[in-house]
Amino acid sequence: MKMTRLKVCQEVDQRLIVLKGRTGLTPNLLCRIGFCLSLNDLTVPDPNAYPPDSTRELNRYTLTGEWDDLFVALLRERCAHDELDLENDLEDQFRAHVNRGVLMLYQRVKHLGDLDRIVQEN
């Protein structure tokens, strides 16, 4: 995956602001958690549902950190499971999973303690 920067949709940008206030976690950590939450959802996210129309842009290394290879491997496995093109769909699916995951997280997290419940469930 060649992507070096990820631009989220406007709605996700606003939700990240609220989630940071609720949990005290930085947007990159919230995006990591959201990405994993989205991977656990059995439906395939539609990249077109999340236009990169916000001003928030995340550096890939900031987003994935030292676990970049792990995130890419998880994404590749999920794309293969969904029978998507591993060369052409990877970046769009990464963006879609991050966006969808943050929106899922926003619905389920009202305070930091809710993250523990999510981890226990999954």
Side-chain angles (χ1 to χ4, degrees):
M1 188 165 68
K2 296 177 182 158
M3 176 180 50
T4 59
R5 301 192 68 70
L6 173 82
K7 202 167 192 179
V8 297
C9 71
Q10 185 65 38
E11 182 180 7
V12 167
D13 183 28
Q14 295 302 309
R15 300 302 185 247
L16 284 169
I17 293 168
V18 173
L19 282 167
K20 183 177 182 193
R22 288 178 182 174
T23 65
L25 297 176
T26 59
N28 63 310
L29 293 177
L30 294 165
C31 286
R32 288 177 190 180
I33 296 166
F35 174 80
C36 294
L37 196 58
S38 179
L39 288 179
N40 201 37
D41 184 320
L42 298 178
T43 62
V44 180
D46 177 10
N48 296 322
Y50 311 103
D53 59 359
S54 77
T55 58
R56 184 182 300 268
E57 228 178 11
L58 299 162
N59 176 292
R60 178 172 160 185
Y61 184 76
T62 301
L63 180 60
T64 60
E66 62 190 85
W67 300 282
D68 186 70
D69 289 341
L70 175 64
F71 281 97
V72 173
L74 289 169
L75 180 63
R76 290 181 70 80
E77 181 67 26
R78 175 59 194 262
C79 286
H81 178 268
D82 294 338
E83 299 179 354
L84 297 172
D85 185 333
L86 293 178
E87 297 305 316
N88 296 319
D89 294 331
L90 213 56
E91 292 179 12
D92 285 340
Q93 284 297 303
F94 183 71
R95 187 175 51 79
H97 277 290
V98 168
N99 278 278
R100 178 173 77 171
V102 169
L103 296 176
M104 293 169 71
L105 200 59
Y106 177 79
Q107 294 296 322
R108 298 174 68 181
V109 174
K110 302 304 178 207
H111 53 80
L112 188 58
D114 288 336
L115 288 175
D116 181 51
R117 182 180 42 79
I118 290 171
V119 170
Q120 299 290 333
E121 292 172 359
N122 295 305

